[in-house]
Amino acid sequence: MDCVSASNRAVAPRATFGEGRVSGRPVVTLAIISLCAVAFMGELTIPGFMDQFQFEPLLGVDEPWRFVTAAFLHANVLHIAFNMFALWMVGPFLETSLGRARYITLYLLAALSGSVAMVVAAWVTSPVIHDDVASGWMVGVVGASGAVFGLFGAVLVVLKRTGRSAQGIIGVLVINGILGFVIQGIAWQAHLGGLLAGAALGAAYAYAPRKHRLEISVAASLAVALILVGVVVGVYLKVGLMA
């Protein structure tokens, strides 16, 4: 994490892989943290708040906002504290390196990818939907972990592109990967989905030729979004949730 922390302290005046200047405070990262904090207060004070916005594969077909809103909810204090700490460790670095537009796009698409991965996992384990929570179709999922793992995937690519060491991030990924199979209740599927989307977008953003960086970034973002939508629609059609 040393290289990331150092980059956070020395903010470049211009995004390394984006257009425009990114100086001052990491406003997008702070905004995400603030939204998560406000949502957590809503969970504590408003009855049924989490039920309205958490993600469940079975509910996603009729209430698609859940694919993203779940990324701003958390199960308990430890959950939100861990995710916000991880976000703060890598977020400002990516916000500076990619520029704010690419950064928020990356975050939201990684969150979406984490939810899509939960739908795919539910379908793989239970191709036929039935009233069984254990099947995965009715399991509620909350947390920014999928989006944060997307940032981890992008950081790996950006660090490699800039010739910096990624050992700290790799260590975090390995530890969290192990915990996902050891500790019950961790949605490792969402972690994997976010990681894959983040790495793909990070590669597109960081390795695009400067001359065509904007066009490639937009095309890559749209491509990932369309692929994710196509996958989830395909699964819903397959199990009969969509006509």
Side-chain angles (χ1 to χ4, degrees), residues 5-143:
S5 299
S7 297
N8 291 345
R9 291 192 297 269
V11 180
R14 184 175 294 276
T16 307
F17 302 111
E19 291 74 30
R21 296 183 178 277
V22 183
S23 58
R25 307 179 73 180
V27 293
V28 176
T29 300
L30 291 172
I32 294 171
I33 293 174
S34 298
L35 286 173
C36 289
V38 170
F40 190 65
M41 292 302 298
E43 296 172 42
L44 296 177
T45 58
I46 303 174
F49 183 87
M50 181 182 287
D51 293 337
Q52 297 179 51
F53 299 105
Q54 71 177 3
F55 181 73
E56 293 181 29
L58 190 60
L59 297 179
V61 63
D62 293 321
E63 301 174 354
W65 61 83
R66 293 176 181 268
F67 278 89
V68 175
T69 56
F72 296 91
L73 305 176
H74 292 86
N76 50 55
V77 173
L78 184 61
H79 191 201
I80 188 172
F82 180 83
N83 278 338
M84 295 305 98
F85 174 75
L87 174 59
W88 183 250
M89 289 299 295
V90 298
F93 169 68
L94 283 176
E95 187 171 342
T96 300
S97 300
L98 302 178
R100 290 177 177 133
R102 287 175 178 80
Y103 174 59
I104 190 60
T105 300
L106 167 68
Y107 188 89
L108 294 175
L109 286 178
L112 173 62
S113 184
S115 296
V116 170
M118 295 301 298
V119 174
V120 173
W123 172 55
V124 170
T125 56
S126 298
V128 178
I129 297 177
H130 49 83
D131 295 333
D132 182 4
V133 176
S135 71
W137 284 101
M138 298 174 64
V139 173
V141 181
V142 296

Side-chain angles (χ1 to χ4, degrees), residues 166-183:
Q167 291 182 352
I169 297 295
I170 293 175
V172 171
L173 288 174
V174 171
I175 292 173
N176 279 275
I178 294 173
L179 291 177
F181 291 98
V182 174
I183 300 177

